[in-house]
Amino acid sequence: MELLLIKSHRYVSGYIPGSNLGMNILTQLLRQKGYQAEMFQGYAKEALDYVNALMENEDKPKIIGFYCDFNNIHWVKTFAQEVKKRYPEVILLAGGPQTAGMDADFLKATAIEAACIGEGEETILELMDYFIEKKGSLNDIQGIIFRDENGALVETEPRKPPEDLDDIPWPDITLTNDYKYYRLLPILTGRGCPFGCTFCYEGANAKRVRRHSVPSLMTEIRENFERDPAINYINFLDDTFTLDHKRVNQICQEIKEIRGNYDFVWFASAHISTIDKHREMAKNMADAGLKKIFFGLESGSDEVLKSYNKKISRKMVVDVIDHCVESGIHGISGNIIIGGPHETRETIAESEDLIMELLYRAPGQFETAYFSFLPYPKTPITLNPEKFGMSIYEELIDCCNEDIPLSRTKELDFTDLINIRLQANKRLQNEMRKIYFDGKIPEAVILDSYRLGRQYGVFTRWNDYVYKNIPIDDAYWKMRASDEYVIHDQLGKNDEAAIIHRTFELWLYTDVSGEKPQIFEQELDQIDYTLLKLCNGKLSKKEILQQGKMKLDPQGKNADFYRQAQQALNKMEGNKWILYRKP
């Protein structure tokens, strides 16, 4: 084997090493050129164990290339050192967005021979020619950094990114963990970004937008479905998917046709300004099966948004989220950064105010979380933080898993920012629960959330933060979302034949130590408890009422029994304790 490409992260709860389409594409390209190339994605120990096992084989890799991003750069350093110590004959390379921040000391400490800056399709082939075929010189390879014979860093001339993406092979998604776990199809339809946000990696990479043609894109999607019709979720990974409204509308028309033959939904990211300018896009995407959309909101302060060069305003955000709701998009997500340019307690309060407004304007539909500012390399902010009223905790970057602040502002230091973020996320989750308990989320939205999660794996923070943390409610909505169970009002004349089922295990939540049984601190009268025990998923409503009367009124003295029994069933249904299975 000539080359093994590795994407590996230390274990963080909730993180699953997923698709790396760039590494995947390089693997396909190298194989087309006749090289033996493999790729591996996994947690740190998994990756190290994999390398150790591979190096015991006769066909062990001559070169190992590490994918480096902001979250794993600290692990890559340790990983590379360990590999080089055990297998000094192996040549080490690096690629990925974080290579833009590597210096001579990093290359020396890791024994990485060269690192690719920017898009690597042409660069990797020239590096293979140099290291495997012994052709050429590192000085002549554009778009790399390496150390010269004196240990100084050499950065060669930047490489012009490829223009015609249709000439580049599509990835083989069967190699990605996302596909293995979720039947997910990740698709990158284009590269580059014209917006120039001051915090973004694109400050160090290609700004020119290049796209796959729509026919090529649709051929790739159709071929994946033909290979595996069980794929049920397309994840469009582009940051600028909505940049060209005519192209988006063309893609939507094509996706509608494909959905006529396959059952799937899809996700895309969008820029607030593009939806604001071309309002028809949101409705077209929703009609074509878009079930979740993501916006980079970043802040609720117009001052901070201006410093980020977002080219949006707080009012524009509210208008666009309202429009997405009206267009039928039930899943709307957007992030907020804490600790960015000129951040103060007042600007953070503006962000929280915006989020609270959006939660109430789109209950059960809009979701968010608060994140710390991350100093990506060679971005305008990182290159000149003082201009933005910030300073960077450089000494903490290697310790980061996106869980601690790496910046401070004139007003807010490390402790301030970590406490503010923790409290903001806590208030956010508490408010989401309050919105739910106050009954402000339409049932149709909740059921849609459960159905999309069960059938397609669509993630929602409403489920994660709220529904699943209330065991009875979670079980209730899961049962209703299955379409097998309904509420009493949906039964009509067939209600007596319907089977009644408890939504929970009675023994788990019933306290019988007092004078009356209690469930969730609610005392149950004799008729409530008797009927609830009979709602075991085996008996019809008619049978439950008959057996209840035999137990509670065997002499037939209570002429009002059936009315009281119906009231008891209605109360239990209102508590989400029972549901009716369709007869």
Side-chain angles (χ1 to χ4, degrees), residues 182-184 230-233 259 262-265 291 447-459 481-483:
Y182 304 120
R183 294 293 181 183
L184 179 74
I231 292 169
N232 58 19
Y233 196 12
R259 292 184 80 227
Y262 302 99
D263 180 20
F264 67 95
V265 296
K291 294 301 181 183
L447 289 172
D448 195 44
S449 171
Y450 272 84
R451 287 168 181 147
L452 289 172
R454 183 194 72 241
Q455 191 166 348
Y456 304 106
V458 179
F459 171 81
S482 71
D483 293 327

Side-chain angles (χ1 to χ4, degrees), residues 3-9 15-31 38-42 65-73 76 94-99 116 118-121 124 168-182 184-188 191 201 235 237:
L3 177 65
L4 171 66
L5 296 173
I6 295 178
K7 177 190 177 186
S8 176
H9 288 72
Y15 172 80
I16 296 175
S19 305
N20 185 281
L21 297 193
M23 195 167 74
N24 196 314
I25 289 168
L26 294 183
T27 303
Q28 309 316 311
L29 181 65
L30 288 162
R31 289 175 178 177
E38 300 291 340
M39 59 177 280
F40 180 86
Q41 300 174 104
F66 299 102
Y67 174 84
C68 304
D69 60 28
F70 192 83
N71 298 319
N72 81 338
I73 188 66
V76 167
Q98 194 66 20
T99 57
C116 173
E119 297 171 37
E121 284 84 4
I124 190 65
I168 296 172
W170 288 94
D172 176 0
I173 66 145
T174 63
L175 301 179
T176 72
N177 289 352
D178 282 358
Y179 168 78
K180 294 173 187 176
Y181 292 133
Y182 304 120
L184 179 74
L185 174 59
I187 292 283
L188 188 64
R191 303 181 188 181
Y201 263 134
N235 182 3
L237 299 171

Side-chain angles (χ1 to χ4, degrees), residues 329-391:
I329 302 175
H330 277 187
I332 306 165
S333 182
N335 68 309
I336 293 291
I337 299 172
I338 289 179
H342 312 292
E343 193 85 276
T344 64
R345 294 185 186 277
E346 287 71 27
T347 60
I348 292 173
E350 289 183 83
S351 292
E352 282 205 75
D353 287 345
L354 171 64
I355 292 308
M356 294 303 168
E357 180 179 353
L358 294 176
L359 289 177
Y360 279 90
R361 295 180 85 99
Q365 295 171 265
F366 176 78
E367 62 182 45
T368 189
Y370 298 93
F371 299 91
S372 297
F373 173 84
L374 296 178
Y376 296 139
K378 294 189 178 179
T379 64
I381 291 178
T382 307
L383 291 172
N384 191 6
E386 296 81 10
K387 176 183 175 183
F388 296 87
M390 300 169 61
S391 58

Side-chain angles (χ1 to χ4, degrees), residues 48-49 52 81-89:
L48 188 55
D49 289 346
N52 289 335
Q81 290 171 335
E82 186 65 23
V83 170
K84 197 65 177 179
K85 181 175 72 175
R86 297 186 186 190
Y87 315 106
E89 73 279 11

Side-chain angles (χ1 to χ4, degrees), residues 566-577:
Q566 185 61 62
Q567 287 178 338
L569 292 175
N570 291 343
K571 182 171 67 174
M572 288 186 277
E573 184 181 52
N575 289 335
K576 300 186 178 66
W577 293 356

